[in-house]
Amino acid sequence: MISKEQIKNSLKRFHFYSGIQIEVLPASEREAFKKFGKKIILLRRKILFKQGSFPTGIFVLKSGKLKVYQTNSDGSIQVLFIYTVGDVFGYRPILSNDYQPASVAALEDCELLFIDRKNFINLIVKSISLSNQLLISLSREFTVLTNRITLFAQRGIKERFAIVLLILNEKYRSEKESISEITLSRTDLANFVGTSVESLSRMINVFKTKKLIKTEGKKIVIENIRELYLLSAID
Amino acid sequence: MISKEQIKNSLKRFHFYSGIQIEVLPASEREAFKKFGKKIILLRRKILFKQGSFPTGIFVLKSGKLKVYQTNSDGSIQVLFIYTVGDVFGYRPILSNDYQPASVAALEDCELLFIDRKNFINLIVKSISLSNQLLISLSREFTVLTNRITLFAQRGIKERFAIVLLILNEKYRSEKESISEITLSRTDLANFVGTSVESLSRMINVFKTKKLIKTEGKKIVIENIRELYLLSAID
DNA sequence: CGCCGTATTGAGCGCTCTCAACGAGGGTGG
DNA sequence: CCACCCTCGTTGAGAGCGCTCAATACGGCG
């Protein structure tokens, strides 16, 4: 019998579970984050920045949820990640001197901390512990991304949907609960799984009749984590 | 009319075109690489290390070609990258303190430089310029990987094959030539595209009749880069 | 109450996979 | 040197998954 602990551990290979943590930084860096940080409110459905734009700084998500997504030339959309409280993002294109590789929009009303590009660069060149955290975090994320590539290249939408549900379960879960209410729209969900809304809708039905999930209006609640995990066929 | 330069630039978003470069490091670090580096010969088809193993050190590829791949629980294989001369790899799981997320095997006879885990760690904590290079390189690679996820999640095998051919064209190309002979086996190619050998074989036929490529035995040579690029539907 | 965005359901088609047979080429042993 | 084998690649047929298009249902909001 697989324990929930084991499942959670396996899932770590498929989502970002801990990026950089400001609390762990030395006091001076923490101060700098506070000092340079500007509070931003981003309302639900609003776009923070768009793919292809110039990265003006980095963000720390204080409350709410964000989606990161890419838009293709044919208009199709791929949701790549969901960011939740505590996530730090937007620093990668600054480091590699690129434009934004993806767009970010709010799934719920969000509160963010914004640190200006220049201040961030100043911070990073001075702070070994910050650059080390980034290095470690990026290395871990690299693994997550390669696993996702294999998942998308090799698995059908049933498996992909199963694992997306498990990932979202982690993202939408409060600290204590092991089960969460997933409130993503069908469209966002489909774009995360990499399928059409219609196919997703049918797959939801399949999962419902298998008693893996239940729905309350648009919300999805997981009923059987273990079966979902087995279905996802990740080892 | 799209120039080859533009195509090459677009392609950079889909493969690793320049990781860390030892030549750019300060003399002391370059020396350390030489001093601690142990030469290794890896024959064609031999495995350097396997997914799930403990990372014992980092590698610099001096000659030959390697494939990086993941094996799924059902035995299916996904080829993730092809490494060529100058590529440095194996450091990521050391930094993030993980096991190897993928296996590496030789496509041709290879000559490698091996730097022991301990020596690498010593090097990285002392060398700001090395850790900065890694940071930049990882950030760039992050973008490449997200683009690949979108590609695999959204596109059919025609588009995927087109872009894989363009990527391989870069990998198998000598400095001066713009066209190269791709000598990957059909199986490796299929596992790179994320399809079956049979489907790949049929796609090769399609591309041949469209005069996009030609084959000489098992070799594939690209005949029309621009059309392939347009077919790949990356913008 | 009607409207508009969102979700579901149905039908049909096309892409890609699997299974199976066949062909080609390279290496090995007689 | 040739016959055989073994691996690798190609080709064909059929099935099924997932997409598109279209119609219908639902639900919040003015």
Side-chain angles (χ1 to χ4, degrees):
Chain A
M1 187 66 164
I2 296 164
S3 75
K4 297 200 175 176
E5 214 42 52
Q6 283 175 284
I7 294 175
K8 216 177 136 184
N9 256 324
S10 267
L11 275 180
K12 286 186 179 175
R13 292 185 288 120
F14 288 90
H15 72 110
F16 302 158
Y17 54 97
S18 102
I20 68 175
Q21 290 172 312
I22 293 161
E23 316 84 56
V24 182
L25 294 173
S28 59
E29 277 93 331
R30 279 207 311 276
E31 283 307 310
F33 264 85
K34 264 197 195 139
K35 185 176 151 202
F36 297 129
K38 246 176 40 186
K39 196 190 278 188
I40 291 180
I41 299 292
L42 187 73
L43 296 178
R44 180 175 146 82
R45 287 167 194 272
K46 294 288 178 195
I47 293 173
L48 184 59
F49 56 76
K50 278 197 173 177
Q51 186 173 351
S53 63
F54 182 76
T56 53
I58 74 161
F59 301 88
V60 185
L61 185 54
K62 306 302 278 184
S63 74
K65 285 189 185 60
L66 296 165
K67 63 173 172 182
V68 182
Y69 61 99
Q70 288 189 326
T71 312
N72 286 84
S73 49
D74 66 349
S76 66
I77 288 169
Q78 179 65 35
V79 173
L80 294 164
F81 325 110
I82 306 289
Y83 285 141
T84 56
V85 177
D87 283 330
V88 182
F89 62 95
Y91 57 89
R92 287 175 289 256
I94 294 179
L95 292 171
S96 63
N97 201 32
D98 274 321
Y99 292 103
Q100 294 291 359
S103 307
V104 171
L107 294 167
E108 312 164 357
D109 293 352
C110 290
E111 196 184 343
L112 296 136
L113 210 62
F114 172 75
I115 289 113
D116 181 67
R117 183 187 178 99
K118 217 177 269 175
N119 285 324
F120 170 69
I121 293 175
N122 281 336
L123 210 55
I124 193 97
V125 294
K126 273 188 293 191
S127 169
I128 305 274
S129 66
L130 179 59
S131 81
N132 275 344
Q133 268 209 37
L134 288 179
L135 205 50
I136 292 167
S137 171
L138 277 167
S139 296
R140 191 160 41 209
E141 288 170 2
F142 190 96
T143 301
V144 169
L145 292 173
T146 56
N147 288 334
R148 284 268 267 277
I149 289 173
T150 300
L151 179 72
F152 278 109
Q154 304 272 354
R155 303 295 180 175
I157 65 163
K158 195 172 70 210
E159 290 90 347
R160 277 145 59 174
F161 184 35
I163 199 157
V164 161
L165 283 173
L166 293 171
I167 290 171
L168 289 173
N169 189 49
E170 294 294 311
K171 300 292 174 192
Y172 279 80
R173 186 159 60 80
S174 63
E175 206 52 54
K176 295 172 191 174
E177 309 289 331
S178 82
I179 295 297
S180 56
E181 298 188 336
I182 297 164
T183 56
L184 265 191
S185 76
R186 297 294 129 123
T187 306
D188 283 334
L189 211 43
N191 290 338
F192 197 7
V193 176
T195 186
S196 63
V197 235
E198 296 95 326
S199 293
L200 179 86
S201 194
R202 284 180 245 275
M203 203 49 74
I204 288 176
N205 260 343
V206 173
F207 281 21
K208 269 163 75 172
T209 56
K210 284 187 182 176
K211 301 270 179 213
L212 301 175
I213 57 173
K214 64 182 176 193
T215 57
E216 297 165 10
K218 310 187 172 183
K219 280 187 303 199
I220 295 177
V221 179
I222 291 179
E223 293 217 290
N224 192 335
I225 290 192
R226 286 189 185 82
E227 280 301 319
L228 268 182
Y229 177 74
L230 292 176
L231 202 60
S232 77
I234 64 175
D235 44 358
Chain B
M1 188 65 165
I2 297 164
S3 75
K4 295 200 176 174
E5 213 42 52
Q6 282 175 284
I7 294 175
K8 217 177 137 184
N9 255 324
S10 266
L11 274 180
K12 286 185 177 175
R13 292 185 290 120
F14 288 91
H15 73 110
F16 302 157
Y17 54 97
S18 102
I20 68 176
Q21 289 172 313
I22 293 160
E23 316 85 56
V24 182
L25 293 173
S28 58
E29 277 93 330
R30 281 208 310 277
E31 282 308 309
F33 264 84
K34 266 198 193 137
K35 185 177 151 202
F36 297 128
K38 248 177 36 188
K39 197 190 278 189
I40 291 179
I41 299 290
L42 187 72
L43 296 177
R44 181 175 146 80
R45 285 166 196 274
K46 295 288 177 194
I47 292 172
L48 183 60
F49 57 74
K50 278 197 173 177
Q51 185 173 352
S53 64
F54 182 76
T56 54
I58 74 161
F59 301 88
V60 185
L61 185 53
K62 307 302 275 185
S63 74
K65 286 190 185 60
L66 296 165
K67 63 174 172 183
V68 182
Y69 61 98
Q70 288 190 325
T71 312
N72 286 83
S73 48
D74 66 349
S76 65
I77 288 169
Q78 179 64 36
V79 174
L80 294 164
F81 324 109
I82 306 289
Y83 284 141
T84 56
V85 177
D87 284 329
V88 182
F89 60 95
Y91 58 89
R92 285 175 290 256
I94 294 179
L95 292 171
S96 64
N97 200 31
D98 275 322
Y99 292 103
Q100 294 290 1
S103 307
V104 171
L107 293 168
E108 313 164 357
D109 294 352
C110 291
E111 196 184 343
L112 297 135
L113 209 63
F114 172 76
I115 290 113
D116 181 68
R117 182 186 178 99
K118 217 178 268 175
N119 285 324
F120 170 69
I121 293 175
N122 282 336
L123 211 54
I124 192 98
V125 294
K126 272 189 292 192
S127 169
I128 305 275
S129 66
L130 179 59
S131 81
N132 276 345
Q133 267 210 36
L134 289 179
L135 206 50
I136 292 167
S137 172
L138 278 168
S139 296
R140 192 160 42 209
E141 288 169 1
F142 189 95
T143 301
V144 169
L145 293 173
T146 55
N147 288 334
R148 285 268 267 276
I149 289 173
T150 300
L151 179 72
F152 278 111
Q154 304 271 353
R155 303 293 180 178
I157 64 164
K158 194 171 71 211
E159 290 90 347
R160 277 146 56 174
F161 185 35
I163 198 155
V164 160
L165 282 173
L166 293 172
I167 291 172
L168 289 173
N169 189 49
E170 294 295 310
K171 300 292 174 194
Y172 279 80
R173 185 160 61 81
S174 63
E175 206 53 53
K176 294 173 193 171
E177 310 288 333
S178 82
I179 295 298
S180 56
E181 298 187 335
I182 296 164
T183 56
L184 266 190
S185 76
R186 297 293 129 115
T187 306
D188 283 335
L189 211 42
N191 291 337
F192 198 7
V193 175
T195 186
S196 62
V197 233
E198 296 94 328
S199 294
L200 180 86
S201 193
R202 283 181 246 274
M203 204 48 75
I204 288 175
N205 261 342
V206 173
F207 281 20
K208 269 165 75 173
T209 56
K210 285 188 184 175
K211 300 270 179 216
L212 301 175
I213 57 173
K214 63 182 177 195
T215 57
E216 295 165 12
K218 311 185 173 181
K219 279 187 302 198
I220 295 177
V221 180
I222 291 179
E223 294 218 287
N224 192 335
I225 289 191
R226 287 188 186 83
E227 280 301 318
L228 266 182
Y229 177 74
L230 292 177
L231 202 61
S232 76
I234 64 175
D235 43 359

